[in-house]
């Protein structure tokens, strides 16, 4: 074994948050109280350091799995152990989860200060980090599924953190139930994997659920089976990563505390879907039909969410829809079916995590100062009041918008280049349409991001009355994470990709992920300068348009809204997705539930009540009068019994 | 031969049963119960003789032993109950009936000695009997 100590002890990374979670849960309410953030902060910071070290450690690529940490299931030939897998993709995800996670934890120390259930928050966050790190470290489908569900559970707990607020409770329930739909398909997909890949090698492969077995045998199963597996697994990703039919839960998840939104949108939860497809890309490479579906859903979601985000007034909701849109981008890339495209998707996940966490934490900082008001029509011109928040938010917004040289620009450009490349190949017409949608989305992204930015930080200074005298900059514990994230948002793309493109060499991220076992090596890609300049100009144009409409105090937006009233309403009401689901899915389900309740209360319970009431009635009516306390009466009973006994013996015997 | 014994035993048992069911005086009920026991014992003895073994006799001796113990307890109970209500009427003791059930009240009251009559008192154990001259200013108690 040439593996380093770090690879052998990679289990420390998930273990630390788990210990922190347990410690906070036990000690939080009584001992730690206002210091409840320490275990979580220390564990996540230490895990982040380990992850960074792991990034620079040579891993054994031929055999990326570590020895079993724990024998979980062992039934005959069916064996599932907790085996961790360390390869470049995992390392990258670990760095992202733990570093963004620990910055968010640091920020939460300031944001959640004095909150009821302070310890509860950090317990859940630590559990969340544990689940997510285990999810990316898992080496087989069953383990992936377990932590897939654990991430869902943690998001439910955190979205519903203010459970006494009905809207938060409803949002948590919605997130959980919508995810259930996807997870059900995901579970079916895993069963299919088990069935199809298990029977190939009945002697020592039966019931093998690890990735390597599936990757090695991807050519040995029928195309139909592979398509079914890929589509079902993708359904799971659609639920978890909030893609088109199941995207409705993510904007509602804004009901949770803002650091939770940042955590869900950036480091954990929604990235799980993208990670899963990227991890299983050898399966998707072999199934062009599944690629088409993945790319179409992704491209469509990107455009749809961008259109919705145009007219939202809730700052966090705009960011939520932008997350949905960016995730759509990632799926679009994942559907292109080339190593370069998957690399681009993972790169975008990575950069997106930093600038989206930055934007959410910035929005949280605004919310903190504005007395929990988040409606961008209620405040404006905050750039003097909140200078640090303003600058860091600007960095994040510019990065998200794809302003040239910032991190979002590079990753988005790689995705566009991958789609362009794919559109010259088989079924290219679909990808040509998707490319147009993606370019339109890129423009819209720049526009709505800067709309939110200009409406919040520019114009005349307006502060809502709820803010009171709190309308000042947040404490350093909140602004320092913002600055760190801002540096990442500004420079990371340049370091990971830009320098390589300028020097006409393989990019850093491409080199790094090019070593993935199972991913073929051809990652060279000529920089498409035309596309890069085009998308940069589009982003700047979107920004300029946003400034022209919202940067100056004009009535122009209202005028435009009046001119295109139906389209405006469509976007404003989020294409009525919630209403449609209410009418088609939720409503009938509620009717069925009411019927079920009626059936249960009156028919099932009724039967039980009749059964229980019968002896009581008989006893009251017939048995009770017999018990009159008179000795002779009891003696008479005995005599009658004796007579009956004697007669019975006489007559029957 | 056996039949005669059995008839007598059956008569004894039946008389006892009817007596137990119809009388309200506790002592008479107790005697009736004893009579039922003797009927059964007679049965046992006669069967023992008929079969020519000692099983019946053995059982009877056993029954007599138990009956003696039972008589001791039963009479002590009766004395104790009598002390409570100053009557031997068994229908005065029906508190164990179901709650809410009306008490059974017999149309005929059991004739018994009047309340004022003097009951014999037992000499308390371990205490010197009171002399005649002291009776005027001291009453004895039964422990």
């Amino acid at each position: 074994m040439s593996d380093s100590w770090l690879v052998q002890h990679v289990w420390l990374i998930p273990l630390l948050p788990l210990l922190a979670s347990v410690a906070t849960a036990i000690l939080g309410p009584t001992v730690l109280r206002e210091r409840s953030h320490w275990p979580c902060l220390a564990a996540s910071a230490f895990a982040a350091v380990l992850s960074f070290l792991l990034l620079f450690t040579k891993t054994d690529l031929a055999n990326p799995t570590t020895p079993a940490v724990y024998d979980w299931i062992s039934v005959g030939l069916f064996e599932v152990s907790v085996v961790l897998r360390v390869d470049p993709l995992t390392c990258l995800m670990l760095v992202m989860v733990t570093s963004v996670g620990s910055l968010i934890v640091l920020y939460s120390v300031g944001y959640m200060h004095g909150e009821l259930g302070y310890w509860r928050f950090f317990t859940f966050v630590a559990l969340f980090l544990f689940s997510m790190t285990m999810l990316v470290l898992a080496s087989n489908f069953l383990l992936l599924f377990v932590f897939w569900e654990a991430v869902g559970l943690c998001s439910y707990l955190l979205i519903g953190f203010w459970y006494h607020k009905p809207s938060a409770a409803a949002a948590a329930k919605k997130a959980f139930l919508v995810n259930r739909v996807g997870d059900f398909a995901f579970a079916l997909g895993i069963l299919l994997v088990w069935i199809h890949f298990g029977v190939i090698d009945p002697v020592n492969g039966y019931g093998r659920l690890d990735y390597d077995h599936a990757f090695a045998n991807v050519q040995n199963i029928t195309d139909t089976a592979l398509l079914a597996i890929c589509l079902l697994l993708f359904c799971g990703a659609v639920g978890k990563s909030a893609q088109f039919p199941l995207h409705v839960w993510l904007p509602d998840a804004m009901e949770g505390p803002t650091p939770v939104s940042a955590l869900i949108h950036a480091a954990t939860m929604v990235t799980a879907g993208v990670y899963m497809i990227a991890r299983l890309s050898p399966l998707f490479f072999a199934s062009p039909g599944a690629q088409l579906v993945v790319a179409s859903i992704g491209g469509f979601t990107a455009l749809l969410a961008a259109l919705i985000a145009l007219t939202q007034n809730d700052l966090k909701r705009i960011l939520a829809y932008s997350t949905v849109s960016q995730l759509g981008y990632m799926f679009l890339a994942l559907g292109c079916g080339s190593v370069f495209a998957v690399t681009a998707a993972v790169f975008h996940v990575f950069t997106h995590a930093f600038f989206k966490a930055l934007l959410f934490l910035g929005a949280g900082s605004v919310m903190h100062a504005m007395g929990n008001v988040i409606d961008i029509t209620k405040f404006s011109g905050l750039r003097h009041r909140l200078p640090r928040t303003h600058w860091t938010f600007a960095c994040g917004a510019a990065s998200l918008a794809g302003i040239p040289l910032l991190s979002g620009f590079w990753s988005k450009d790689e995705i566009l280049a991958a789609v362009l490349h794919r559109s010259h190949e088989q079924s290219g017409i679909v990808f040509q349409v998707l490319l147009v949608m993606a370019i339109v989305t890129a423009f819209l992204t720049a526009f709505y991001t800067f709309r939110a930015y200009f409406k919040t930080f520019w114009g005349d200074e307006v502060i809502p009355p709820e803010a009171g005298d709190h309308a000042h900059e947040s404490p350093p514990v909140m602004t320092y994470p913002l600055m760190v994230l801002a540096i990442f948002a500004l420079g990371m793309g340049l370091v990971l990709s830009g320098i390589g493109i300028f020097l006409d060499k393989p990019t850093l991220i491409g080199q790094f992920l090019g070593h993935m076992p199972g991913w073929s090596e051809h990652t060279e890609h000529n920089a498409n300068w035309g596309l890069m300049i085009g998308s940069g100009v589009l982003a700047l144009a979107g920004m300029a348009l946003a400034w022209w409409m919202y940067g100056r105090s004009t009535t122009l937006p209202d005028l435009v809204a009046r001119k295109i009233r139906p389209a405006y309403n469509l976007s404003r009401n989020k294409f009525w997705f919630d209403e449609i689901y209410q009418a088609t899915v939720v409503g009938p389900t509620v009717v069925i539930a009411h019927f079920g309740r009626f059936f249960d209360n009156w028919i099932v319970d009724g039967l039980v009540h009749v059964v229980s009431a019968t002896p009581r009635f008989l006893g009251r009516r017939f048995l009770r009068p017999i018990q009159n306390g008179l000795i002779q009466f009891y003696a008479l009973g005995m005599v009658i019994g004796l007579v009956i006994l004697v007669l019975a013996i006489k007559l029957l015997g | 031969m056996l039949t005669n014994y059995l008839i007598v035993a059956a008569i004894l048992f039946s008389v006892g049963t009817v007596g137990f069911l119809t009388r309200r005086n506790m002592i008479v009920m107790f005697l009736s119960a004893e009579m039922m026991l003797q009927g059964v014992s007679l049965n046992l003895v006669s069967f023992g003789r008929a079969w020519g073994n000692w099983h019946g006799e053995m059982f009877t001796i056993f029954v007599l032993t138990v009956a003696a113990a039972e008589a001791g307890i039963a009479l002590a109970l009766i004395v104790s109950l009598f002390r409570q209500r100053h009557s031997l009427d068994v229908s005065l003791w029906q508190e164990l009936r179901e709650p809410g059930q009306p008490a059974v009240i017999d149309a005929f009251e059991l004739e018994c000695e009047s309340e004022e009559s003097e009951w014999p008192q037992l000499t308390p154990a371990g205490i010197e009997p009171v002399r005649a001259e002291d009776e005027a200013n001291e009453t004895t108690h039964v422990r």
Side-chain angles (χ1 to χ4, degrees), chain A residues 7-32:
Chain A
V7 176
Q8 292 296 309
H9 293 80
V10 71
W11 45 266
L12 274 173
I13 294 174
L15 184 71
L16 287 168
L18 178 65
L19 289 179
S21 174
V22 172
T24 317
I26 294 171
L27 301 176
T30 50
V31 183
L32 293 170

Side-chain angles (χ1 to χ4, degrees), chain B residues 28-58:
Chain B
V28 178
M29 284 169 70
F30 171 70
L31 290 177
S32 306
E34 286 296 318
M35 201 183 284
M36 288 158 76
L37 276 178
Q38 302 317 317
V40 173
S41 299
L42 189 55
N43 240 353
L44 290 169
V45 172
S46 30
F47 273 114
R49 283 297 296 268
W51 293 112
N53 59 25
W54 298 96
H55 294 180
E57 271 85 348
M58 200 198 73

Side-chain angles (χ1 to χ4, degrees), chain A residues 137-195:
Chain A
L137 278 167
S139 74
N140 60 53
F141 286 93
L142 208 56
L143 210 56
L144 175 72
F145 183 69
V146 168
F147 289 99
W148 186 269
E149 294 295 323
V151 171
L153 169 73
C154 293
S155 72
Y156 168 80
L157 292 173
L158 282 171
I159 294 168
F161 180 74
W162 289 315
Y163 54 84
H164 48 267
K165 211 166 77 177
S167 60
K173 230 182 305 178
K174 187 173 177 183
F176 201 66
L177 290 177
V178 172
N179 264 302
R180 245 351 24 72
V181 178
D183 292 351
F184 181 66
F186 188 55
L188 289 182
I190 289 175
L191 281 178
L192 274 189
V193 167
W194 184 58
I195 291 167

Side-chain angles (χ1 to χ4, degrees), chain A residues 620 623-636 639 642, chain B residues 13 17 20-21 23-24 29 90-91 93-94 96-99 101 104:
Chain A
R620 186 170 296 158
L623 295 179
R624 207 178 165 111
I626 296 174
Q627 305 289 331
N628 63 1
L630 210 58
I631 290 176
Q632 273 94 355
F633 215 83
Y634 297 103
L636 186 64
V639 169
L642 189 68
Chain B
F13 186 83
T17 310
F20 189 85
L21 290 181
R23 304 302 296 264
R24 282 156 61 196
M29 284 169 70
V90 80
S91 67
W93 301 94
Q94 28 181 314
L96 280 178
R97 65 181 178 272
E98 276 289 306
Q101 286 295 315
V104 178

Side-chain angles (χ1 to χ4, degrees), chain A residues 543-619:
Chain A
M543 182 177 152
L545 183 64
W547 179 79
W548 192 56
M549 280 179 77
Y550 298 101
R552 314 165 305 153
S553 304
T554 58
T555 54
L556 197 62
D558 295 332
L559 203 70
V560 174
R562 264 202 301 280
K563 277 270 192 287
I564 49 162
R565 178 58 67 185
Y568 177 80
N569 279 342
L570 196 63
S571 166
R572 184 88 187 79
N573 293 302
K574 307 151 203 161
F575 286 71
W576 284 287
F577 267 111
D578 281 331
E579 285 75 8
I580 291 168
Y581 285 162
Q582 182 69 35
T584 55
V585 180
V586 181
T589 312
V590 169
V591 169
I592 293 171
H594 275 294
F595 174 74
R597 182 177 164 189
F598 171 82
F599 189 82
D600 188 45
N601 273 355
W602 294 102
I603 307 213
V604 177
D605 281 7
L607 259 169
V608 173
H609 285 153
V610 165
V611 169
S612 74
T614 308
R616 198 182 305 165
F617 170 77
L618 291 176

Side-chain angles (χ1 to χ4, degrees), chain A residues 37-38 40-42 44-45 98-115 118 121-122 125 129 162 256-263 315-316 319 354 356-370 372-374 386 388-390 392-393 457 472-486:
Chain A
H37 51 269
W38 282 115
C40 184
L41 194 57
S44 55
T98 53
S99 58
V100 175
S102 44
L103 287 172
I104 290 170
V105 170
L106 182 64
Y107 175 92
S108 310
V109 173
Y111 190 85
M112 300 302 287
H113 180 74
E115 197 72 52
Y118 191 65
F121 180 82
F122 287 101
V125 168
L129 290 175
W162 289 315
T258 307
V260 172
S261 307
L263 199 61
L315 183 55
K316 282 173 76 182
L319 296 177
F354 287 93
K356 190 48 65 69
L358 169 60
L359 286 170
F360 265 111
L361 297 183
S365 180
V366 170
M367 215 171 145
H368 199 63
M370 294 295 114
N372 287 334
V373 175
I374 197 65
L386 308 171
R388 288 177 186 156
T389 308
H390 165 233
T392 50
F393 194 92
F457 292 103
H472 52 74
E473 184 58 280
S474 305
V477 72
M478 287 167 70
T479 51
Y480 281 122
L482 289 179
M483 293 178 205
V484 175
L485 286 169

